[in-house]
mmCIF file of all heavy atoms in Angstrom:
data_model
loop_
_atom_site.group_PDB
_atom_site.id
_atom_site.type_symbol
_atom_site.label_atom_id
_atom_site.label_comp_id
_atom_site.label_asym_id
_atom_site.label_seq_id
_atom_site.Cartn_x
_atom_site.Cartn_y
_atom_site.Cartn_z
ATOM 1 N N TYR Q 1 0.840 -1.195 0.000
ATOM 2 C CA TYR Q 1 0.000 0.000 0.000
ATOM 3 C C TYR Q 1 0.872 1.239 0.000
ATOM 4 O O TYR Q 1 1.777 1.370 0.815
ATOM 5 C CB TYR Q 1 -0.909 -0.013 1.237
ATOM 6 C CG TYR Q 1 -1.723 1.235 1.413
ATOM 7 C CD1 TYR Q 1 -2.861 1.443 0.645
ATOM 8 C CD2 TYR Q 1 -1.358 2.201 2.334
ATOM 9 C CE1 TYR Q 1 -3.624 2.587 0.798
ATOM 10 C CE2 TYR Q 1 -2.110 3.351 2.497
ATOM 11 C CZ TYR Q 1 -3.240 3.544 1.725
ATOM 12 O OH TYR Q 1 -3.989 4.685 1.876
ATOM 13 N N LEU Q 2 0.626 2.147 -0.959
ATOM 14 C CA LEU Q 2 1.394 3.389 -1.024
ATOM 15 C C LEU Q 2 0.578 4.555 -0.495
ATOM 16 O O LEU Q 2 1.079 5.374 0.259
ATOM 17 C CB LEU Q 2 1.851 3.662 -2.454
ATOM 18 C CG LEU Q 2 2.785 4.842 -2.630
ATOM 19 C CD1 LEU Q 2 4.080 4.615 -1.870
ATOM 20 C CD2 LEU Q 2 3.078 5.075 -4.087
ATOM 21 N N GLY Q 3 -0.690 4.662 -0.909
ATOM 22 C CA GLY Q 3 -1.522 5.750 -0.430
ATOM 23 C C GLY Q 3 -2.534 6.179 -1.457
ATOM 24 O O GLY Q 3 -2.735 5.516 -2.484
ATOM 25 N N GLY Q 4 -3.143 7.325 -1.176
ATOM 26 C CA GLY Q 4 -4.155 7.883 -2.054
ATOM 27 C C GLY Q 4 -3.623 9.073 -2.830
ATOM 28 O O GLY Q 4 -2.406 9.277 -2.961
ATOM 29 N N ALA Q 5 -4.532 9.888 -3.323
ATOM 30 C CA ALA Q 5 -4.164 11.012 -4.187
ATOM 31 C C ALA Q 5 -3.266 12.024 -3.489
ATOM 32 O O ALA Q 5 -2.289 12.505 -4.081
ATOM 33 C CB ALA Q 5 -5.424 11.696 -4.705
ATOM 34 N N GLU Q 6 -3.570 12.339 -2.246
ATOM 35 C CA GLU Q 6 -2.791 13.356 -1.536
ATOM 36 C C GLU Q 6 -1.343 12.906 -1.362
ATOM 37 O O GLU Q 6 -0.407 13.665 -1.598
ATOM 38 C CB GLU Q 6 -3.415 13.658 -0.165
ATOM 39 C CG GLU Q 6 -4.761 14.347 -0.231
ATOM 40 C CD GLU Q 6 -5.919 13.395 -0.556
ATOM 41 O OE1 GLU Q 6 -5.756 12.155 -0.406
ATOM 42 O OE2 GLU Q 6 -6.971 13.889 -0.983
ATOM 43 N N LYS Q 7 -1.160 11.647 -0.976
ATOM 44 C CA LYS Q 7 0.191 11.122 -0.774
ATOM 45 C C LYS Q 7 0.962 11.059 -2.093
ATOM 46 O O LYS Q 7 2.139 11.416 -2.153
ATOM 47 C CB LYS Q 7 0.092 9.720 -0.152
ATOM 48 C CG LYS Q 7 1.411 9.008 -0.049
ATOM 49 C CD LYS Q 7 1.882 8.916 1.361
ATOM 50 C CE LYS Q 7 3.277 8.348 1.429
ATOM 51 N NZ LYS Q 7 3.391 7.169 2.203
ATOM 52 N N ILE Q 8 0.301 10.622 -3.160
ATOM 53 C CA ILE Q 8 0.966 10.541 -4.468
ATOM 54 C C ILE Q 8 1.365 11.933 -4.938
ATOM 55 O O ILE Q 8 2.466 12.141 -5.454
ATOM 56 C CB ILE Q 8 0.048 9.856 -5.510
ATOM 57 C CG1 ILE Q 8 -0.291 8.432 -5.080
ATOM 58 C CG2 ILE Q 8 0.666 9.882 -6.891
ATOM 59 C CD1 ILE Q 8 0.893 7.513 -4.931
ATOM 60 N N LEU Q 9 0.487 12.910 -4.748
ATOM 61 C CA LEU Q 9 0.782 14.289 -5.148
ATOM 62 C C LEU Q 9 1.981 14.836 -4.374
ATOM 63 O O LEU Q 9 2.887 15.440 -4.964
ATOM 64 C CB LEU Q 9 -0.448 15.173 -4.943
ATOM 65 C CG LEU Q 9 -0.363 16.598 -5.453
ATOM 66 C CD1 LEU Q 9 -0.076 16.621 -6.954
ATOM 67 C CD2 LEU Q 9 -1.653 17.348 -5.163
ATOM 68 N N LEU Q 10 2.017 14.611 -3.060
ATOM 69 C CA LEU Q 10 3.142 15.083 -2.249
ATOM 70 C C LEU Q 10 4.453 14.397 -2.655
ATOM 71 O O LEU Q 10 5.491 15.050 -2.767
ATOM 72 C CB LEU Q 10 2.872 14.822 -0.763
ATOM 73 C CG LEU Q 10 1.839 15.728 -0.106
ATOM 74 C CD1 LEU Q 10 1.531 15.245 1.304
ATOM 75 C CD2 LEU Q 10 2.330 17.169 -0.087
ATOM 76 N N MET Q 11 4.384 13.092 -2.884
ATOM 77 C CA MET Q 11 5.585 12.363 -3.302
ATOM 78 C C MET Q 11 6.055 12.812 -4.677
ATOM 79 O O MET Q 11 7.263 12.880 -4.936
ATOM 80 C CB MET Q 11 5.308 10.856 -3.319
ATOM 81 C CG MET Q 11 5.147 10.239 -1.954
ATOM 82 S SD MET Q 11 4.746 8.490 -2.052
ATOM 83 C CE MET Q 11 6.336 7.824 -2.522
ATOM 84 N N ASN Q 12 5.132 13.127 -5.557
ATOM 85 C CA ASN Q 12 5.489 13.596 -6.895
ATOM 86 C C ASN Q 12 6.166 14.960 -6.823
ATOM 87 O O ASN Q 12 7.163 15.202 -7.505
ATOM 88 C CB ASN Q 12 4.233 13.660 -7.773
ATOM 89 C CG ASN Q 12 4.563 13.923 -9.214
ATOM 90 O OD1 ASN Q 12 5.461 13.322 -9.787
ATOM 91 N ND2 ASN Q 12 3.823 14.850 -9.821
ATOM 92 N N GLU Q 13 5.642 15.848 -5.995
ATOM 93 C CA GLU Q 13 6.215 17.195 -5.873
ATOM 94 C C GLU Q 13 7.583 17.179 -5.211
ATOM 95 O O GLU Q 13 8.440 17.998 -5.532
ATOM 96 C CB GLU Q 13 5.255 18.099 -5.102
ATOM 97 C CG GLU Q 13 4.013 18.442 -5.895
ATOM 98 C CD GLU Q 13 2.986 19.229 -5.100
ATOM 99 O OE1 GLU Q 13 3.180 19.430 -3.881
ATOM 100 O OE2 GLU Q 13 1.977 19.625 -5.703
ATOM 101 N N SER Q 14 7.809 16.232 -4.284
ATOM 102 C CA SER Q 14 9.096 16.173 -3.580
ATOM 103 C C SER Q 14 10.160 15.389 -4.347
ATOM 104 O O SER Q 14 11.330 15.408 -3.970
ATOM 105 C CB SER Q 14 8.908 15.539 -2.197
ATOM 106 O OG SER Q 14 8.617 14.163 -2.321
ATOM 107 N N GLY Q 15 9.756 14.653 -5.400
ATOM 108 C CA GLY Q 15 10.703 13.847 -6.162
ATOM 109 C C GLY Q 15 10.834 12.430 -5.628
ATOM 110 O O GLY Q 15 11.541 11.596 -6.198
ATOM 111 N N GLU Q 16 10.181 12.147 -4.509
ATOM 112 C CA GLU Q 16 10.215 10.819 -3.902
ATOM 113 C C GLU Q 16 9.611 9.759 -4.820
ATOM 114 O O GLU Q 16 10.087 8.628 -4.895
ATOM 115 C CB GLU Q 16 9.405 10.868 -2.601
ATOM 116 C CG GLU Q 16 9.960 10.105 -1.462
ATOM 117 C CD GLU Q 16 9.084 10.266 -0.228
ATOM 118 O OE1 GLU Q 16 8.567 11.365 0.042
ATOM 119 O OE2 GLU Q 16 8.919 9.249 0.464
ATOM 120 N N LEU Q 17 8.552 10.130 -5.542
ATOM 121 C CA LEU Q 17 7.870 9.195 -6.431
ATOM 122 C C LEU Q 17 8.785 8.782 -7.579
ATOM 123 O O LEU Q 17 8.839 7.608 -7.934
ATOM 124 C CB LEU Q 17 6.567 9.809 -6.966
ATOM 125 C CG LEU Q 17 5.681 8.886 -7.783
ATOM 126 C CD1 LEU Q 17 5.201 7.716 -6.948
ATOM 127 C CD2 LEU Q 17 4.483 9.656 -8.325
ATOM 128 N N GLN Q 18 9.518 9.721 -8.136
ATOM 129 C CA GLN Q 18 10.448 9.422 -9.234
ATOM 130 C C GLN Q 18 11.472 8.371 -8.804
ATOM 131 O O GLN Q 18 11.761 7.445 -9.547
ATOM 132 C CB GLN Q 18 11.157 10.709 -9.685
ATOM 133 C CG GLN Q 18 12.152 10.495 -10.797
ATOM 134 C CD GLN Q 18 11.493 10.082 -12.094
ATOM 135 O OE1 GLN Q 18 10.374 10.481 -12.394
ATOM 136 N NE2 GLN Q 18 12.190 9.264 -12.860
ATOM 137 N N ASP Q 19 11.983 8.507 -7.583
ATOM 138 C CA ASP Q 19 12.955 7.540 -7.071
ATOM 139 C C ASP Q 19 12.327 6.163 -6.906
ATOM 140 O O ASP Q 19 12.965 5.146 -7.170
ATOM 141 C CB ASP Q 19 13.521 8.005 -5.725
ATOM 142 C CG ASP Q 19 14.298 9.301 -5.847
ATOM 143 O OD1 ASP Q 19 14.777 9.610 -6.959
ATOM 144 O OD2 ASP Q 19 14.418 10.009 -4.826
ATOM 145 N N LEU Q 20 11.082 6.128 -6.473
ATOM 146 C CA LEU Q 20 10.372 4.869 -6.253
ATOM 147 C C LEU Q 20 10.051 4.158 -7.561
ATOM 148 O O LEU Q 20 9.986 2.929 -7.610
ATOM 149 C CB LEU Q 20 9.083 5.150 -5.474
ATOM 150 C CG LEU Q 20 8.318 3.981 -4.900
ATOM 151 C CD1 LEU Q 20 9.173 3.224 -3.889
ATOM 152 C CD2 LEU Q 20 7.049 4.458 -4.234
ATOM 153 N N LEU Q 21 9.892 4.920 -8.640
ATOM 154 C CA LEU Q 21 9.475 4.355 -9.923
ATOM 155 C C LEU Q 21 10.628 3.890 -10.799
ATOM 156 O O LEU Q 21 10.403 3.436 -11.918
ATOM 157 C CB LEU Q 21 8.642 5.384 -10.702
ATOM 158 C CG LEU Q 21 7.335 5.821 -10.039
ATOM 159 C CD1 LEU Q 21 6.642 6.883 -10.882
ATOM 160 C CD2 LEU Q 21 6.418 4.646 -9.791
ATOM 161 N N THR Q 22 11.862 3.960 -10.305
ATOM 162 C CA THR Q 22 13.008 3.573 -11.124
ATOM 163 C C THR Q 22 12.985 2.102 -11.509
ATOM 164 O O THR Q 22 13.499 1.729 -12.558
ATOM 165 C CB THR Q 22 14.335 3.884 -10.403
ATOM 166 O OG1 THR Q 22 14.337 3.229 -9.135
ATOM 167 C CG2 THR Q 22 14.531 5.373 -10.237
ATOM 168 N N LYS Q 23 12.402 1.240 -10.694
ATOM 169 C CA LYS Q 23 12.396 -0.202 -10.982
ATOM 170 C C LYS Q 23 11.144 -0.657 -11.728
ATOM 171 O O LYS Q 23 10.998 -1.828 -12.035
ATOM 172 C CB LYS Q 23 12.525 -0.984 -9.678
ATOM 173 C CG LYS Q 23 11.404 -0.726 -8.713
ATOM 174 C CD LYS Q 23 11.629 -1.429 -7.398
ATOM 175 C CE LYS Q 23 10.536 -1.019 -6.445
ATOM 176 N NZ LYS Q 23 10.960 -0.621 -5.165
ATOM 177 N N ILE Q 24 10.245 0.269 -12.054
ATOM 178 C CA ILE Q 24 8.994 -0.071 -12.738
ATOM 179 C C ILE Q 24 9.204 -0.003 -14.248
ATOM 180 O O ILE Q 24 9.901 0.882 -14.756
ATOM 181 C CB ILE Q 24 7.847 0.888 -12.318
ATOM 182 C CG1 ILE Q 24 7.674 0.906 -10.802
ATOM 183 C CG2 ILE Q 24 6.552 0.537 -13.012
ATOM 184 C CD1 ILE Q 24 7.253 -0.411 -10.182
ATOM 185 N N GLU Q 25 8.570 -0.928 -14.962
ATOM 186 C CA GLU Q 25 8.676 -0.980 -16.426
ATOM 187 C C GLU Q 25 8.144 0.309 -17.051
ATOM 188 O O GLU Q 25 7.106 0.824 -16.663
ATOM 189 C CB GLU Q 25 7.873 -2.181 -16.944
ATOM 190 C CG GLU Q 25 7.954 -2.368 -18.439
ATOM 191 C CD GLU Q 25 7.102 -3.536 -18.916
ATOM 192 O OE1 GLU Q 25 6.712 -4.386 -18.109
ATOM 193 O OE2 GLU Q 25 6.830 -3.574 -20.124
ATOM 194 N N ARG Q 26 8.869 0.805 -18.021
ATOM 195 C CA ARG Q 26 8.496 2.042 -18.719
ATOM 196 C C ARG Q 26 7.692 1.744 -19.976
ATOM 197 O O ARG Q 26 7.818 0.672 -20.566
ATOM 198 C CB ARG Q 26 9.744 2.831 -19.126
ATOM 199 C CG ARG Q 26 10.635 3.207 -17.981
ATOM 200 C CD ARG Q 26 10.048 4.294 -17.179
ATOM 201 N NE ARG Q 26 10.844 4.546 -15.983
ATOM 202 C CZ ARG Q 26 10.618 5.533 -15.168
ATOM 203 N NH1 ARG Q 26 9.634 6.355 -15.408
ATOM 204 N NH2 ARG Q 26 11.347 5.707 -14.105
ATOM 205 N N VAL Q 27 6.905 2.706 -20.396
ATOM 206 C CA VAL Q 27 6.202 2.616 -21.673
ATOM 207 C C VAL Q 27 6.733 3.732 -22.556
ATOM 208 O O VAL Q 27 7.082 4.801 -22.073
ATOM 209 C CB VAL Q 27 4.663 2.723 -21.515
ATOM 210 C CG1 VAL Q 27 4.110 1.511 -20.815
ATOM 211 C CG2 VAL Q 27 4.256 3.983 -20.790
ATOM 212 N N GLN Q 28 6.820 3.464 -23.855
ATOM 213 C CA GLN Q 28 7.377 4.449 -24.774
ATOM 214 C C GLN Q 28 6.462 5.657 -24.921
ATOM 215 O O GLN Q 28 6.855 6.763 -24.687
ATOM 216 C CB GLN Q 28 7.622 3.806 -26.140
ATOM 217 C CG GLN Q 28 8.708 2.756 -26.112
ATOM 218 C CD GLN Q 28 10.023 3.331 -25.633
ATOM 219 O OE1 GLN Q 28 10.408 4.423 -25.999
ATOM 220 N NE2 GLN Q 28 10.723 2.595 -24.786
ATOM 221 N N LEU Q 29 5.269 5.403 -25.342
ATOM 222 C CA LEU Q 29 4.294 6.477 -25.510
ATOM 223 C C LEU Q 29 3.011 6.086 -24.804
ATOM 224 O O LEU Q 29 2.612 4.926 -24.854
ATOM 225 C CB LEU Q 29 3.985 6.700 -26.994
ATOM 226 C CG LEU Q 29 5.115 7.224 -27.846
ATOM 227 C CD1 LEU Q 29 4.714 7.200 -29.311
ATOM 228 C CD2 LEU Q 29 5.479 8.640 -27.430
ATOM 229 N N PRO Q 30 2.354 7.038 -24.151
ATOM 230 C CA PRO Q 30 1.064 6.690 -23.574
ATOM 231 C C PRO Q 30 0.124 6.286 -24.708
ATOM 232 O O PRO Q 30 -0.140 7.074 -25.603
ATOM 233 C CB PRO Q 30 0.593 7.970 -22.899
ATOM 234 C CG PRO Q 30 1.747 8.908 -22.921
ATOM 235 C CD PRO Q 30 2.721 8.407 -23.920
ATOM 236 N N GLN Q 31 -0.292 5.052 -24.715
ATOM 237 C CA GLN Q 31 -1.142 4.591 -25.801
ATOM 238 C C GLN Q 31 -2.472 4.099 -25.274
ATOM 239 O O GLN Q 31 -2.562 3.618 -24.170
ATOM 240 C CB GLN Q 31 -0.451 3.497 -26.595
ATOM 241 C CG GLN Q 31 0.004 2.326 -25.767
ATOM 242 C CD GLN Q 31 0.883 1.406 -26.566
ATOM 243 O OE1 GLN Q 31 1.508 1.807 -27.525
ATOM 244 N NE2 GLN Q 31 0.945 0.161 -26.162
ATOM 245 N N GLU Q 32 -3.459 4.258 -26.087
ATOM 246 C CA GLU Q 32 -4.804 3.858 -25.738
ATOM 247 C C GLU Q 32 -5.170 2.647 -26.574
ATOM 248 O O GLU Q 32 -4.877 2.599 -27.761
ATOM 249 C CB GLU Q 32 -5.752 5.024 -26.036
ATOM 250 C CG GLU Q 32 -6.931 5.090 -25.127
ATOM 251 C CD GLU Q 32 -7.697 6.371 -25.339
ATOM 252 O OE1 GLU Q 32 -8.370 6.495 -26.372
ATOM 253 O OE2 GLU Q 32 -7.621 7.244 -24.468
ATOM 254 N N CYS Q 33 -5.811 1.693 -25.963
ATOM 255 C CA CYS Q 33 -6.230 0.491 -26.680
ATOM 256 C C CYS Q 33 -7.242 0.872 -27.758
ATOM 257 O O CYS Q 33 -8.208 1.586 -27.480
ATOM 258 C CB CYS Q 33 -6.848 -0.498 -25.701
ATOM 259 S SG CYS Q 33 -7.552 -1.953 -26.482
ATOM 260 N N PRO Q 34 -7.050 0.409 -28.998
ATOM 261 C CA PRO Q 34 -7.991 0.762 -30.062
ATOM 262 C C PRO Q 34 -9.359 0.090 -29.900
ATOM 263 O O PRO Q 34 -10.346 0.582 -30.424
ATOM 264 C CB PRO Q 34 -7.302 0.259 -31.337
ATOM 265 C CG PRO Q 34 -6.343 -0.775 -30.874
ATOM 266 C CD PRO Q 34 -5.936 -0.396 -29.481
ATOM 267 N N SER Q 35 -9.423 -0.996 -29.138
ATOM 268 C CA SER Q 35 -10.698 -1.701 -28.969
ATOM 269 C C SER Q 35 -11.579 -1.068 -27.893
ATOM 270 O O SER Q 35 -12.759 -0.813 -28.114
ATOM 271 C CB SER Q 35 -10.459 -3.165 -28.596
ATOM 272 O OG SER Q 35 -9.766 -3.813 -29.612
ATOM 273 N N CYS Q 36 -10.998 -0.830 -26.712
ATOM 274 C CA CYS Q 36 -11.812 -0.363 -25.574
ATOM 275 C C CYS Q 36 -11.568 1.089 -25.201
ATOM 276 O O CYS Q 36 -12.224 1.612 -24.300
ATOM 277 C CB CYS Q 36 -11.559 -1.247 -24.359
ATOM 278 S SG CYS Q 36 -9.889 -1.096 -23.686
ATOM 279 N N GLY Q 37 -10.619 1.753 -25.835
ATOM 280 C CA GLY Q 37 -10.337 3.155 -25.520
ATOM 281 C C GLY Q 37 -9.633 3.347 -24.197
ATOM 282 O O GLY Q 37 -9.648 4.426 -23.632
ATOM 283 N N GLY Q 38 -9.032 2.277 -23.661
ATOM 284 C CA GLY Q 38 -8.300 2.387 -22.405
ATOM 285 C C GLY Q 38 -9.097 2.016 -21.175
ATOM 286 O O GLY Q 38 -8.580 2.047 -20.073
ATOM 287 N N PHE Q 39 -10.351 1.638 -21.326
ATOM 288 C CA PHE Q 39 -11.173 1.276 -20.168
ATOM 289 C C PHE Q 39 -10.927 -0.150 -19.700
ATOM 290 O O PHE Q 39 -11.201 -0.482 -18.559
ATOM 291 C CB PHE Q 39 -12.661 1.465 -20.465
ATOM 292 C CG PHE Q 39 -13.088 2.899 -20.444
ATOM 293 C CD1 PHE Q 39 -13.255 3.590 -21.617
ATOM 294 C CD2 PHE Q 39 -13.284 3.551 -19.247
ATOM 295 C CE1 PHE Q 39 -13.633 4.918 -21.604
ATOM 296 C CE2 PHE Q 39 -13.660 4.876 -19.222
ATOM 297 C CZ PHE Q 39 -13.837 5.564 -20.405
ATOM 298 N N GLY Q 40 -10.458 -1.030 -20.589
ATOM 299 C CA GLY Q 40 -10.186 -2.407 -20.207
ATOM 300 C C GLY Q 40 -11.398 -3.317 -20.273
ATOM 301 O O GLY Q 40 -11.302 -4.501 -20.009
ATOM 302 N N PHE Q 41 -12.559 -2.768 -20.593
ATOM 303 C CA PHE Q 41 -13.794 -3.542 -20.693
ATOM 304 C C PHE Q 41 -14.548 -3.164 -21.949
ATOM 305 O O PHE Q 41 -14.453 -2.030 -22.424
ATOM 306 C CB PHE Q 41 -14.705 -3.286 -19.481
ATOM 307 C CG PHE Q 41 -14.221 -3.929 -18.218
ATOM 308 C CD1 PHE Q 41 -13.362 -3.265 -17.368
ATOM 309 C CD2 PHE Q 41 -14.623 -5.205 -17.875
ATOM 310 C CE1 PHE Q 41 -12.910 -3.854 -16.206
ATOM 311 C CE2 PHE Q 41 -14.180 -5.805 -16.714
ATOM 312 C CZ PHE Q 41 -13.323 -5.129 -15.884
ATOM 313 N N LEU Q 42 -15.308 -4.124 -22.479
ATOM 314 C CA LEU Q 42 -16.159 -3.914 -23.652
ATOM 315 C C LEU Q 42 -17.532 -4.515 -23.374
ATOM 316 O O LEU Q 42 -17.659 -5.410 -22.537
ATOM 317 C CB LEU Q 42 -15.565 -4.625 -24.874
ATOM 318 C CG LEU Q 42 -14.300 -4.036 -25.459
ATOM 319 C CD1 LEU Q 42 -13.682 -5.000 -26.454
ATOM 320 C CD2 LEU Q 42 -14.619 -2.728 -26.142
ATOM 321 N N PRO Q 43 -18.577 -4.053 -24.083
ATOM 322 C CA PRO Q 43 -19.874 -4.716 -23.934
ATOM 323 C C PRO Q 43 -19.741 -6.194 -24.296
ATOM 324 O O PRO Q 43 -18.975 -6.570 -25.177
ATOM 325 C CB PRO Q 43 -20.770 -3.985 -24.932
ATOM 326 C CG PRO Q 43 -20.135 -2.645 -25.097
ATOM 327 C CD PRO Q 43 -18.658 -2.894 -24.962
#
């Protein structure tokens, strides 16, 4: 558990979040799924 919006915002502003994310897989470009538009679900 890391926290909610307030904690993420504070960590992002202090640079703490950047340090924590060094081991997480990166994505080249933010891409949206052509089938579901990024929602992950379809009718």
